[in-house]
Amino acid sequence: MKSTFYFFVPLLFLSKITCGQQEDITDKWKTVRIEDSTLGKVDYHIYRKKMDDHKPLIVYLQGSTNFPLFWINPDGRYSSGITLNVDSISTHYHVVLISKPNTPLVDRIRIAPSGRKQYPMQEGYREKYSLDWRADSADRVIDDVIKKLDVDSSTVIVWGHSEGSQVAPAVAVKNKKVTHVIAMMGNSLNHLYDFILSERVSAFHGEKSNEEAQSNIDSLYAEFEKVYQDPKSTTKEWFGETYYKWSSFSLTSPLENMLKLDIPILYVAGGEDRQSILNMDYAKLEFLRKGKNNLTYKVYPNCDHFFLETKTDESGKKEWIDHLDEVNAFALEWITKK
């Protein structure tokens, strides 16, 4: 298949943290390990600032890739997939992160000859990584955090970005202590449908012919059939991930889980986010159809998947405007009103 799925990229959002040493990160977070007979080792991390205070809880779920929560680039710079200004938010909230299976809080990555950032798959990662593992581990973490910290249980928020946005509603379905869901830049429909939408949009924009797009879509359906025929396989792969990963994120859609909830949900989209916007719009329509009023749908018309707006001046020079602080401020204000 000739298609390039440009919308599906590793979520390598450059963090606003400024750290000179790896220890600077580990010193700021307290790591707690849960041993579970099914999940294995689940490591979660509590931001230490005012950790003993009585505060509401935010459990943040990052997007895709097998990367650590923080990684050190070959040039020594630190990056992260976390789209929160943790230091500021932790003044008023306990902030908790969850590592992916057998993956450390912080580690070094390398650059492949292709220029792509890479991190080795940790032992046991493929066997565990799935929506099931992410939702079940977050469920366990919430219970454990509430036992260990002075949490204001009237406000327990699951906050996800991108793939984490798909996980957040599933966590709230499992754990009734969750009072709010914030889901940003993540699809509402079957995750695999994004690949089909991408082909259609590419053809509409003249980036390929309709015939090429249809051929690619036919090939996609053939691959998806294989996934659904062997949904638990952790040895068979498509597009760099196991069949188990793909099936777990697509057997139940995020929208189905959202509709099971009566707690407040904030759903944030970017109008320039070709990865998500086309099927995120449908969620609001479905809530209206069913007469449910617990969804707040907020679209930032000019933002992409990483909350950036691109402007081009008369000379053709591009400027990127970062709306992340604006988006997070809106979310935090929304919490106080719901």
Side-chain angles (χ1 to χ4, degrees):
M1 188 171 67
K2 298 178 181 178
S3 175
T4 300
F5 298 110
Y6 48 82
F7 79 98
F8 184 82
V9 295
L11 305 186
L12 307 186
F13 188 90
L14 183 61
S15 173
K16 294 187 175 182
I17 61 170
T18 55
C19 299
Q21 301 287 333
Q22 181 168 338
E23 291 75 14
D24 290 338
I25 292 178
T26 54
D27 288 347
K28 290 180 179 180
W29 298 88
K30 177 181 179 180
T31 297
V32 180
R33 173 166 291 176
I34 298 173
E35 299 277 359
D36 185 273
S37 58
T38 301
L39 300 173
K41 298 174 182 178
V42 178
D43 287 345
Y44 70 88
H45 316 279
I46 308 163
Y47 199 67
R48 290 182 181 274
K49 184 177 180 181
K50 297 188 175 183
M51 191 173 67
D52 296 328
D53 286 8
H54 179 72
K55 297 187 289 186
L57 172 64
I58 292 174
V59 175
Y60 179 85
L61 306 172
Q62 80 275 32
S64 60
T65 78
N66 66 312
F67 278 34
L69 288 157
F70 301 92
W71 62 89
I72 309 167
N73 295 285
D75 63 4
R77 290 183 305 109
Y78 282 74
S79 297
S80 175
I82 300 165
T83 58
L84 297 179
N85 186 331
V86 174
D87 192 66
S88 173
I89 291 173
S90 64
T91 300
H92 302 291
Y93 294 87
H94 293 295
V95 178
V96 170
L97 311 176
I98 305 173
S99 286
K100 293 183 178 178
N102 302 341
T103 305
L105 171 68
V106 57
D107 203 355
R108 294 186 176 275
I109 64 165
R110 69 181 187 89
I111 305 296
S114 64
R116 188 183 182 92
K117 295 182 178 182
Q118 290 186 337
Y119 184 73
M121 290 284 181
Q122 302 302 296
E123 184 178 357
Y125 180 92
R126 293 181 185 276
E127 289 73 23
K128 291 183 173 65
Y129 192 66
S130 61
L131 183 141
D132 308 305
W133 191 93
R134 295 199 69 182
D136 289 341
S137 63
D139 175 33
R140 286 291 314 275
V141 166
I142 290 168
D143 289 344
D144 203 56
V145 170
I146 289 175
K147 290 178 184 177
K148 289 182 167 68
L149 297 183
D150 188 0
V151 173
D152 177 359
S153 58
S154 68
T155 309
V156 176
I157 306 137
V158 179
W159 186 324
H161 173 250
S162 194
E163 185 182 277
S165 172
Q166 300 174 55
V167 180
V171 176
V173 169
K174 289 177 177 291
N175 194 306
K176 302 309 177 187
K177 298 182 180 71
V178 176
T179 62
H180 299 71
V181 170
I182 298 176
M184 294 186 170
M185 307 293 185
N187 56 289
S188 68
L189 303 176
N190 186 319
H191 189 35
L192 297 174
Y193 185 45
D194 284 354
F195 293 89
I196 296 168
L197 282 176
S198 178
E199 288 297 324
R200 293 297 185 204
V201 170
S202 183
F204 291 156
H205 286 188
E207 296 165 351
K208 64 184 64 170
S209 68
N210 287 326
E211 290 80 6
E212 183 181 358
Q214 187 59 51
S215 175
N216 290 339
I217 289 169
D218 290 341
S219 296
L220 285 170
Y221 281 131
E223 294 299 325
F224 298 162
E225 183 177 12
K226 295 175 185 176
V227 170
Y228 284 125
Q229 286 176 344
D230 198 359
K232 295 292 185 180
S233 177
T234 59
T235 57
K236 297 177 182 177
E237 293 185 358
W238 178 75
F239 212 61
E241 301 277 6
T242 66
Y243 282 12
Y244 178 40
K245 184 271 182 184
W246 289 117
S247 67
S248 70
F249 275 89
S250 58
L251 288 172
T252 301
S253 71
L255 179 56
E256 289 175 278
N257 284 323
M258 290 163 69
L259 289 168
K260 293 175 184 176
L261 301 173
D262 294 319
I263 61 175
I265 304 168
L266 174 61
Y267 202 35
V268 178
E272 288 290 335
D273 183 6
R274 287 174 63 163
Q275 179 171 345
S276 306
I277 184 67
L278 293 178
N279 74 47
M280 290 185 75
D281 284 335
Y282 185 73
K284 178 67 174 180
L285 180 62
E286 192 67 1
F287 270 75
L288 292 173
R289 185 178 75 85
K290 290 186 174 290
K292 291 179 68 69
N293 61 5
N294 60 313
L295 180 77
T296 300
Y297 185 41
K298 174 70 172 177
V299 179
Y300 290 82
N302 298 310
C303 282
D304 66 10
H305 195 65
F306 304 102
F307 312 98
L308 294 175
E309 177 183 357
T310 304
K311 288 189 174 182
T312 306
D313 62 21
E314 294 180 355
S315 67
K317 183 180 179 180
K318 288 187 177 181
E319 176 188 9
W320 287 270
I321 302 171
D322 185 355
H323 290 275
L324 180 58
D325 288 342
E326 176 189 351
V327 173
N328 286 338
F330 177 87
L332 293 169
E333 183 178 2
W334 171 85
I335 291 168
T336 65
K337 295 178 178 179
K338 295 295 178 178

